[in-house]
Amino acid sequence: GAYPTLRNFRFLQRLKLRTIISLIPEDPTYDLTEFCEKEGVNLLHFAAEKFKDSPALFPHDFAEIVSSLIDPTQHPMYIHCLEGGN
């Protein structure tokens, strides 16, 4: 999905998320970090640079992401980039 903003937080609360994976070039915003802390959501950030219209990740990041994806204790989960198109 796209990067969550303040107006999305109420909807995200209803999902009762355990994990948010951020695939973005820079650190998550203060608002998102505070939301996750308040809601007890595990926020995982992976620096993903845009490369030819696709996110570019390091191989060790893939391993950690896949590990989270297959771990049922991390679900439900929301995964986002900046625009929601990758």
Side-chain angles (χ1 to χ4, degrees):
Y3 194 94
T5 60
L6 287 170
R7 69 179 177 175
N8 307 122
F9 290 168
R10 201 165 117 190
F11 172 74
L12 292 177
Q13 279 178 314
R14 288 186 275 167
L15 298 177
K16 302 197 184 303
L17 297 171
R18 289 189 185 160
T19 306
I20 293 178
I21 295 180
S22 294
L23 304 173
I24 55 176
E26 299 184 15
D27 290 339
T29 61
Y30 175 80
D31 292 335
L32 181 57
T33 303
E34 285 296 305
F35 169 79
C36 289
E37 285 180 20
K38 179 182 167 220
E39 297 297 319
V41 175
N42 184 23
L43 178 59
L44 303 175
H45 171 249
F46 298 93
E49 298 295 331
K50 225 174 178 189
F51 180 76
K52 294 184 182 180
D53 296 323
S54 297
L57 293 168
F58 292 105
H60 64 273
D61 289 337
F62 278 116
E64 192 172 342
I65 292 168
V66 170
S67 229
S68 296
L69 288 171
I70 63 174
D71 180 358
T73 66
Q74 299 283 335
H75 297 190
M77 180 183 295
Y78 181 73
I79 304 171
H80 73 86
C81 60
L82 287 174
E83 301 163 358
N86 296 320

